[in-house]
């Protein structure tokens, strides 16, 4: 009986919370960012219990569509807004402002049994366009390539297509997974696999690269120096060729609770968590300057 | 009975009648509304896409930076393939279990097993899909040396599991509905219990069994989450059950969340829904006709 009372009370509290949810900050979008933002939100709520925050994934495209349709307060995206999306937003009276909250080294991962250690950007592109179907062609053993990627609502899917595939079509043989975690699971099991995920998905709880996973070094030119996405100096200097900013966008100038949350995330406390979770901080350079401008 | 109470009863009767009539009509109206919405939202897609291309080509890539393509054929074939695979697995097992429950099992065994099987139908599809990722997928990969288990076969196995409760439950009901005298006459003529089951009871219950299979098939065609999680969603035209496939339902689910409203892509997703609706409607219609025939014979 006591148990039932507890459950009933918990349900009531939850319902009340949902009904009073007008004040809740709704965040939606990038699957690459969802874990990071969830952790940031929890820490922030720990300090400011009066402000409930709900974080949902679904992919960058889903978050951007959500902000345009005004069903969320902040849209996470792992890519820039497309001009078409900004037009649609303006048509609906939404004026998006983007803030860079972290930097991601987009990581190309293979199974640890794969002999390949390093690829050029062009080789990764050829793999994903379906032009290279066997690992032998890029220095590995004779084994069929098994492509793992994201779905078209993913910002990472779009970023890869623009910056690695040279705006060409993905191979239709690519398995289209629901999220970063599913790609990692697939690559762990499949010897011929190659996948792309955010740098925050490479580590286990102890901060080491997950067992069974190999992160490839990426170089810009054939025979050029290759770098790992976990190499902070290489990501910061731009030597790692597929690093990218991660964005949070609001409708118009952020106000009130949303503004306080955002400035906490880009401030020292938030950035320390960003670093702890395996992503990179925004630093003092151009991203910070752009953020400062958008806060005003 | 005084005229007063009679009058009151008449009023109550009329009110109850009106209530049921409204509920019935409401269901029909809602269905009609859904169909009309689907139709009117799907049709604009064909201002830019040729119907022949939509149904006959197999490359689907609406967000392509090169050229948007809307060929549904690979997804139609994938859906049919996964469903056919599911039925190949589920029909023999389902009918076998139904026959066991109605003819072989002890009354007490049946009273425990049948509700348990019916509860199976209530397992959320996302749970079944998860089983496909962590259990069936790796097992299939080992069995067929394919490296990964994200393929049509995995989807078929999971959909078979999901459609079994429907098939078993309805088949068992129809086997039980076969008049006792049929079986008694057969046994009296010297037929064995096996012969009685296969040659007398199953043919007598056939229309019910067919209806059960059709309903199971309807369930399999329309299932989304499970196949989305377990089949890998590759857009390539499938060449076998061990290829990764994307079904129509998975295609809609993947793209509807991000598609800009009122674009060709948006309308095209509803057109997929329309194709799917027509397919499931046809299956359910056949099931309904068969079931009705069966009920007529019973009377």
């Amino acid at each position: 009986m006591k148990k039932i009372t507890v459950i009933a009370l918990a349900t009531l509290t939850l319902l009340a919370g949902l009904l009073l949810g007008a004040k809740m900050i709704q965040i939606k979008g990038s699957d690459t960012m969802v874990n990071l933002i969830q952790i940031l939100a929890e820490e922030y709520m720990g300090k400011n219990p009066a402000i409930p925050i709900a974080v949902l994934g679904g992919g960058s495209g889903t978050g951007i569509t959500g902000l345009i349709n005004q069903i969320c307060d902040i849209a996470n995206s792992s890519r820039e807004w497309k001009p078409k999306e900004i037009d649609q937003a303006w048509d609906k009276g939404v004026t998006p402002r983007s803030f860079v909250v972290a930097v991601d080294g987009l990581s190309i991962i293979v199974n640890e049994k794969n002999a390949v250690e390093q690829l050029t950007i062009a080789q990764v592109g050829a793999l994903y366009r379906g032009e290279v179907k066997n690992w032998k062609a890029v220095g590995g053993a004779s084994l069929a390539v098994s492509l793992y990627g994201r779905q078209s609502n993913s910002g990472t899917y779009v970023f890869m297509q623009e910056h690695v595939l040279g705006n060409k079509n993905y191979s239709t043989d690519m398995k289209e997974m629901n999220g970063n975690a599913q790609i990692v699971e697939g690559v762990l099991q499949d010897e011929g696999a190659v996948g792309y995920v955010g740098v925050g998905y490479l580590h286990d709880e102890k901060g080491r690269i997950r067992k069974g996973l190999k992160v490839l070094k990426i170089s810009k030119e054939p025979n050029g120096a290759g770098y790992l996405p976990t190499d902070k100096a290489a990501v910061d200097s731009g030597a790692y060729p597929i690093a990218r900013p991660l964005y949070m966008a609001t409708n118009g100038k952020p106000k009130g609770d949303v503004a306080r949350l955002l400035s906490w995330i880009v401030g020292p406390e938030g950035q320390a968590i960003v670093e702890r979770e395996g992503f990179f901080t925004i630093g003092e350079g151009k991203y910070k300057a752009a953020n400062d401008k958008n806060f005003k | 009975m005084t005229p007063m109470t009679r009058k009151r009863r008449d009023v109550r009767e009329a009110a109850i009648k009106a209530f049921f009539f409204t509920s019935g009509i409401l269901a029909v109206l809602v269905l009609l509304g859904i169909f009309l919405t689907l139709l009117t939202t799907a049709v604009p897609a064909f201002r830019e896409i040729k119907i022949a291309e939509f149904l006959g080509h197999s490359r689907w890539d609406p967000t392509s930076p090169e050229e948007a393509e809307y060929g549904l054929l690979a997804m139609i074939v994938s859906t049919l393939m996964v469903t056919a695979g599911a039925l190949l697995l589920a029909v023999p097992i389902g009918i076998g279990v139904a026959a066991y429950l109605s003819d072989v099992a002890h009354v007490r065994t049946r009273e425990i097993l049948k509700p348990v099987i019916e509860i199976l139908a209530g397992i959320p599809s996302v749970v079944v899909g998860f089983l496909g990722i962590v259990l069936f997928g790796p097992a299939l990969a080992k069995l067929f040396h394919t490296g990964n288990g994200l393929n049509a076969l995995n989807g078929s196995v999971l959909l078979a599991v999901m459609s079994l409760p429907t098939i078993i439950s309805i088949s068992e009901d129809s086997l039980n509905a076969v008049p006792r005298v049929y079986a008694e006459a057969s046994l009296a003529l010297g037929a064995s219990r096996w012969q009685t089951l296969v040659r007398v009871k199953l043919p007598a219950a056939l229309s019910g069994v067919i209806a059960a299979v059709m309903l199971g098939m309807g369930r399999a065609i329309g299932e989304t989450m499970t196949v989305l999680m377990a089949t890998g969603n590759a857009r390539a035209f499938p060449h076998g059950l061990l290829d990764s496939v994307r079904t129509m339902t998975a295609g809609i689910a993947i793209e509807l969340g991000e598609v800009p409203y009122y674009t060709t892509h948006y309308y095209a997703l509803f057109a997929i829904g329309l194709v799917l609706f027509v397919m499931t409607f046809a299956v359910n219609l056949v099931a309904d006709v068969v079931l009705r025939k069966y009920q007529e014979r019973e009377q």
Side-chain angles (χ1 to χ4, degrees), chain A residues 88-106:
Chain A
Q88 280 165 11
W90 277 93
D91 285 346
K92 297 207 171 189
V94 173
T95 51
R97 287 201 187 192
S98 289
F99 299 85
V100 178
V101 295
V103 176
D104 176 32
L106 183 59

Side-chain angles (χ1 to χ4, degrees), chain A residues 41-238:
Chain A
E42 275 165 20
E43 298 252 351
Y44 189 75
M45 282 188 285
K47 295 190 172 73
N48 306 279
I51 303 146
I53 306 170
V55 185
L56 286 175
S60 303
T62 315
I64 289 171
T65 309
L67 193 72
I68 293 174
N69 293 330
Q70 297 171 37
I71 55 172
C72 62
D73 301 305
I74 302 179
N76 296 337
S77 68
S78 62
R79 60 169 170 86
E80 284 182 19
W81 284 49
K82 297 174 190 169
K84 220 162 80 184
E85 288 163 342
I86 296 175
D87 286 347
Q88 280 165 11
W90 277 93
D91 285 346
K92 297 207 171 189
V94 173
T95 51
R97 287 201 187 192
S98 289
F99 299 85
V100 178
V101 295
V103 176
D104 176 32
L106 183 59
S107 311
I108 309 297
I109 53 174
V110 295
N111 191 284
E112 67 173 351
K113 293 194 179 122
N114 196 324
V116 174
E117 297 286 339
Q118 180 173 336
L119 290 176
T120 65
I121 284 289
Q123 283 172 323
V124 178
L127 283 172
Y128 273 99
R129 286 191 299 267
E131 293 155 15
V132 173
K133 294 189 184 294
N134 196 302
W135 283 106
K136 221 162 84 180
V138 290
S142 179
L143 185 66
V145 173
S146 171
L147 298 171
Y148 287 77
R150 295 285 305 283
Q151 299 160 355
S152 56
N153 59 349
S154 151
T156 317
Y157 175 104
V158 175
F159 182 88
M160 276 285 286
Q161 194 157 39
E162 280 174 7
H163 294 86
V164 180
L165 275 71
N167 268 325
K168 294 280 187 289
N169 288 336
Y170 277 103
S171 161
T172 52
D173 286 323
M174 179 174 78
K175 286 174 274 299
E176 299 193 8
M177 315 298 280
N178 269 331
N180 288 271
Q182 263 199 28
I183 293 182
V184 172
E185 289 307 319
V187 172
L188 286 173
Q189 284 172 20
D190 191 343
E191 281 183 41
V194 59
Y196 54 80
V197 295
V199 67
Y201 285 81
L202 300 176
H203 303 88
D204 58 18
E205 300 88 50
K206 289 180 186 131
R208 289 181 301 227
I209 300 287
R210 286 189 59 175
K211 208 170 169 298
L213 207 63
K214 187 197 278 184
V215 186
L216 292 183
K217 286 183 184 167
I218 302 298
S219 67
K220 286 180 186 161
E221 307 294 334
N223 306 320
Y227 294 94
L228 284 172
T230 47
D231 180 346
K232 182 171 167 49
V235 168
D236 281 347
S237 71

Side-chain angles (χ1 to χ4, degrees), chain B residues 191-216:
Chain B
S192 67
R193 279 176 73 186
W194 170 253
Q195 286 169 328
T196 305
L197 175 63
V198 175
R199 303 213 184 141
V200 177
K201 288 190 76 175
L202 268 180
L206 192 65
S207 43
V209 173
I210 291 176
V213 170
M214 288 296 188
L215 287 175

Side-chain angles (χ1 to χ4, degrees), chain B residues 85-170:
Chain B
L87 288 182
L88 279 179
L89 291 167
V91 169
I93 298 176
I95 295 177
V97 174
Y100 168 77
L101 284 178
S102 77
D103 276 62
V104 186
H106 191 269
V107 182
R108 206 185 296 156
T109 321
R110 182 172 66 193
E111 269 169 10
I112 297 172
L113 269 183
K114 206 169 176 209
V116 168
I117 289 169
E118 277 161 5
I119 286 174
L120 259 182
I123 296 179
S125 51
V126 65
V127 174
V128 180
F130 184 71
L131 283 181
I133 293 177
V134 299
L135 190 72
F136 292 113
L140 291 173
K142 276 220 177 74
L143 198 62
F144 294 101
H145 303 288
T146 44
N148 66 77
L150 299 168
N151 50 36
L153 185 59
N154 194 355
S156 291
V157 171
L158 298 174
L159 290 185
V161 170
M162 296 184 74
S163 53
L164 267 177
T166 316
I167 295 179
I168 293 172
S169 185
I170 298 178

